[in-house]
Amino acid sequence: MAEHFDLVLRNAVVVDGSGAPRFEADVAVRKSVIARVGRIGSACVEREIDLQGKVAAPGFIDAHTHDDRLMLSDPDMPAKVSQGVTTVVAGNCGISLAPMPGGVRGAPTPPLDLLDDAGGWFRFPNFAAYVEELNRHPPATNAVLLVGHTTLRVATMRDIGRPADEREIARMQSVAREALAAGAAGISTGLYYEPAAAAPTWEVIEVCRPLAEFDGLYCTHMRDEADRVVDSLEESFRIGRELGVPVVISHHKVNGVRNHGRSHETLACIERHRQEQDIGLDAYPYCAASTILTADRAASASRTLVTWSRILPQFAGRDLAEVAAQMGLSQDEAVARLIPAGAIYFSMDEADVQRILAYGPTMIGSDGLPHDAFPHPRLWATFPRVLGHYSRDLGLFSLEQAVRKMTGLTARTYGLEGRGLLREGAWADITVFDPARVAEGATFEHPIAAAPGIEYVLVNGEMVWEVGRATGARPGQVLRRVAGR
Ligand code: ZN
Ligand code: CU
């Protein structure tokens, strides 16, 4: 009797996510699992696609996102699945949508407004309620969830301009413990941002104590990514050491003209500490950053673009210098008129970006901001840009390494069992792309566009993206971290 498969991808070039050399095979899917990788003869098959030498890879894992709310408000997630992303890590940079016991009154404190500038989405009294909502209304992609230290501070402290006191720390610990028990893979911090900047190292260590019980991850948008970037690395590693948990350095970069070239120093520092403790890092493939608009950030960038403004939305997409000139104001005064707002800052050195991307342990994470009116193109184009521009066109690393940085490496870092490798028995998260054609669709001028060359994307065995369109299937699951790997 012939074997039965739901889908067979024939004549694929398999790039399996481990970094191993590509090979030719057919790939068969049964239900939500990869049932066979090899030559498949006669079989009883629901659907067959001849890939004619296109690449079949594990679905990409976006190591760094702010998709907490996107998964609920735009569950087809075209910005993600159009790039071949099948799993997103949400809750980064200290800001998670949950939990928010008591909700938020009025406009959320920046940078929480990157998730929702009106505040109504901060409606989950505990983390379990958020997880339950995702289970009840699943999005197209799988999710790995972090709980944010800034969210914990805003939820539990009356005055966030000072370090937490003993009672507040105890409360944050118990909220964090609930989140970890409900499925959070770790805690993120955003010590750079105002609502967390007053937290000294010891506060972070104390609040993160529950991580040790769950072997959760400590992920951090560091206190300083500019002049004091090495001090900030040391602080992050110390927190990981004192807690005995793995550290992930978010969107690693060196900001500001006078720091250009210092990735030599930061990568050497990371490499040295990796001999003694568990450290990962992610990066996005651009030399422009994006976050909330502040006068300081704008002053240290060579160019600033406005991505959104609540009060003056007509300036989204415009150059800040032009906006200031049109208003007849200084740049600082124009910023004061625009905020709350977001911006893109050209502030990095291309050589640093390439050195960090090429570093073996670096994972690819978009850091996309899905609710910006005129978003940084990293939201739609991170993965195809790495595959097309950096790997194929510049030859910065092989296709096998590019895929590993978006799949196998990321699954191992986050402890995602059965993900990140295209193997028999793994979950059927699969991205099929044309290696000759894959490229970024979105640009700084036109930031919302699907990538050419991404042909089929499957999540848990279901097709979510097919020849240029989201299918409307929403098979995503909340993934639990399996520690001790
Ligand atoms: Zn960040
Ligand atoms: Cu981020």
Side-chain angles (χ1 to χ4, degrees):
M1 206 176 88
E3 248 186 310
H4 174 269
F5 300 114
D6 295 312
L7 173 71
V8 174
L9 304 170
R10 292 217 182 257
N11 305 310
V13 168
V14 175
V15 176
D16 73 1
S18 69
R22 66 195 83 177
F23 58 92
E24 288 172 28
D26 305 327
V27 178
V29 173
R30 189 185 299 123
K31 296 207 167 71
S32 54
V33 173
I34 297 171
R36 183 79 65 75
V37 180
R39 279 290 158 224
I40 295 167
S42 63
C44 163
V45 176
E46 219 56 49
R47 183 176 179 197
E48 253 186 47
I49 304 172
D50 185 353
L51 297 189
Q52 301 176 312
K54 305 273 167 58
V55 169
F60 305 151
I61 302 170
D62 192 340
H64 186 110
T65 84
H66 296 286
D67 293 343
D68 305 43
R69 173 193 142 197
L70 184 75
M71 290 189 274
L72 299 174
S73 63
D74 190 7
D76 289 337
M77 301 178 74
K80 295 303 158 97
V81 296
S82 65
Q83 299 183 57
V85 169
T86 58
T87 297
V88 300
V89 180
N92 277 286
C93 299
I95 57 176
S96 57
L97 195 61
M100 194 58 81
V104 294
R105 271 171 291 280
T109 325
L112 289 183
D113 57 357
L114 291 175
L115 296 182
D116 173 22
D117 68 353
W121 284 94
F122 286 93
R123 59 182 158 81
F124 301 99
N126 53 50
F127 211 79
Y130 175 57
V131 172
E132 203 182 299
E133 177 101 355
L134 286 171
N135 287 334
R136 213 159 353 114
H137 304 284
T141 73
N142 301 310
V144 176
L145 306 174
L146 303 171
V147 58
H149 168 242
T150 297
T151 295
L152 296 177
R153 286 192 122 230
V154 170
T156 59
M157 292 175 70
R158 209 168 269 179
D159 172 13
I160 51 178
R162 55 164 177 75
D165 65 26
E166 233 169 280
R167 264 191 40 234
E168 291 161 338
I169 285 176
R171 216 160 347 127
M172 285 193 267
Q173 282 179 339
S174 87
V175 176
R177 195 171 283 116
E178 185 273 330
L180 292 162
I187 299 179
S188 74
T189 58
L191 302 177
Y192 163 78
Y193 293 108
E194 217 173 67
T201 310
W202 57 261
E203 176 190 314
V204 178
I205 293 169
E206 290 311 316
V207 170
C208 291
R209 285 283 176 215
L211 281 179
E213 298 158 37
F214 293 86
D215 195 25
L217 294 160
Y218 175 70
C219 304
T220 181
H221 177 155
M222 301 191 297
R223 217 177 272 284
D224 194 319
E225 296 177 302
D227 297 3
R228 305 195 58 191
V229 62
V230 172
D231 294 341
S232 293
L233 285 172
E234 296 283 357
E235 179 187 31
S236 310
F237 302 154
R238 183 184 150 205
I239 292 166
R241 278 197 308 277
E242 298 223 2
L243 295 166
V245 301
V247 175
V248 174
I249 304 298
S250 296
H251 44 59
H252 183 47
K253 64 171 87 67
V254 278
N255 261 328
V257 180
R258 62 174 172 259
N259 297 306
H260 286 182
R262 291 187 66 197
S263 59
H264 279 300
E265 216 182 308
T266 61
L267 294 179
C269 176
I270 291 169
E271 187 62 24
R272 193 156 16 87
H273 285 272
R274 273 173 60 85
Q275 311 307 315
E276 268 120 53
Q277 65 185 109
D278 205 337
I279 298 167
L281 71 159
D282 60 75
Y284 51 80
Y286 293 90
C287 57
S290 184
T291 181
I292 48 172
L293 176 63
T294 64
D296 281 8
R297 270 312 271 263
S300 71
S302 60
R303 186 179 167 217
T304 301
L305 299 174
V306 179
T307 53
W308 61 275
S309 164
R310 200 145 61 88
I311 294 156
L312 300 167
Q314 67 273 28
F315 291 118
R318 298 276 309 275
D319 197 301
L320 178 65
E322 279 170 35
V323 172
Q326 186 183 327
M327 289 174 157
L329 299 173
S330 73
Q331 190 167 282
D332 284 12
E333 291 164 339
V335 168
R337 291 278 189 88
L338 288 161
I339 56 172
I344 292 167
Y345 305 99
F346 291 84
S347 58
M348 289 172 246
D349 176 26
E350 178 65 24
D352 283 323
V353 171
Q354 292 192 18
R355 203 173 292 121
I356 291 167
L357 286 174
Y359 178 52
T362 303
M363 306 178 280
I364 306 302
S366 70
D367 200 11
L369 298 171
H371 312 297
D372 287 12
F374 202 87
H376 188 304
R378 68 193 186 188
L379 174 64
W380 283 79
T382 285
F383 292 82
R385 180 168 164 84
V386 170
L387 294 169
H389 179 66
Y390 283 113
S391 173
R392 181 192 58 225
D393 298 348
L394 297 188
L396 191 59
F397 33 69
S398 66
L399 178 65
E400 286 83 350
Q401 283 306 319
V403 169
R404 176 186 147 270
K405 286 170 172 291
M406 347 181 134
T407 58
L409 173 66
T410 319
R412 186 152 46 86
T413 304
Y414 284 94
L416 310 179
E417 233 172 24
R419 311 278 171 180
L421 295 174
L422 202 161
R423 297 242 164 110
E424 287 179 11
W427 290 88
D429 295 345
I430 301 174
T431 291
V432 171
F433 64 91
D434 181 344
R437 228 163 54 84
V438 66
E440 61 227 77
T443 61
F444 285 99
E445 292 72 35
H446 301 284
I448 296 174
I454 305 285
E455 305 203 339
Y456 302 97
V457 182
L458 282 94
V459 173
N460 298 318
E462 284 190 51
M463 196 74 80
V464 296
W465 181 264
E466 185 166 350
V467 278
R469 297 179 67 149
T471 63
R474 296 169 187 172
Q477 299 176 3
V478 176
L479 306 184
R480 291 251 180 175
R481 166 175 167 76
V482 178
R485 290 157 54 105

